């Protein structure tokens, strides 16, 4: 919560324990979120290679069911991590879909203007009656 090295380390440990339990109980949707949070905590503590590996695992699980909302809800820090993962990554289409659906897109940021003040592009897909 504080963002200190100690707090981030504790968060990573707890998320690792949670991930082990989620694997044993086959809770895929929650596991995607736990891996994503673990990736953010690892990235915040400066451990980019392992953070990217956690994010790859989360994306692989999410690809099967088309889960995008978890990544979008984690906001700009996740969008930054996804942008860092784009280069040399298979499945770039999935990352692009997530970034396109994100309300605050770091790849379209204009210097000197806050992300929330920028124009948000229209949705990629139109809504149906349903």
């Amino acid at each position: 919560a504080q963002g200190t090295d100690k707090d981030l380390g504790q968060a990573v440990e707890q998320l690792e324990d949670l991930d082990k339990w989620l694997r044993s109980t086959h809770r895929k949707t929650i596991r995607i979120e736990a891996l994503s949070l673990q990736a953010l905590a690892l990235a915040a503590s400066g451990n980019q290679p392992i953070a990217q590996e956690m994010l790859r695992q989360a994306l692989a699980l999410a690809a099967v069911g088309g889960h995008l909302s978890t990544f979008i809800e984690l906001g700009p820090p996740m969008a930054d991590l996804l942008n860092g993962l784009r280069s040399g990554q298979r499945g770039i289409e999935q990352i692009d879909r997530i970034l396109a659906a994100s309300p605050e897109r770091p790849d379209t940021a204009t210097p000197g203007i806050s992300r929330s003040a920028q124009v948000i592009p229209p949705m990629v897909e139109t809504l149906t009656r349903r």
Side-chain angles (χ1 to χ4, degrees), residues 73-115:
E73 291 168 359
L74 291 173
M78 177 54 70
D80 292 338
L81 195 55
L82 285 164
N83 269 323
L85 190 63
R86 283 187 87 241
S87 61
Q89 172 69 20
R90 291 182 311 200
I92 291 177
E93 300 82 21
Q94 180 188 19
I95 294 172
D96 287 344
R97 278 195 315 273
I98 294 167
L99 292 173
S102 298
E104 299 180 2
R105 296 174 53 195
D107 59 324
T108 61
T110 305
I113 300 175
S114 72
R115 288 181 180 165

Side-chain angles (χ1 to χ4, degrees), residues 12 15 32-59 70-72 74-89 92 94-96 98-99 102 104-107 115:
V12 168
L15 287 164
I32 293 167
E33 187 173 355
L35 287 168
S36 299
L37 290 170
Q38 193 173 359
L40 287 175
L42 287 162
S45 64
N47 200 338
Q48 285 298 114
I50 297 176
Q52 288 183 345
E53 179 55 35
M54 293 294 114
L55 186 54
R56 279 187 195 93
Q57 289 179 36
L59 288 168
T70 298
F71 304 102
I72 295 166
L74 291 173
M78 177 54 70
D80 292 338
L81 195 55
L82 285 164
N83 269 323
L85 190 63
R86 283 187 87 241
S87 61
Q89 172 69 20
I92 291 177
Q94 180 188 19
I95 294 172
D96 287 344
I98 294 167
L99 292 173
S102 298
E104 299 180 2
R105 296 174 53 195
D107 59 324
R115 288 181 180 165

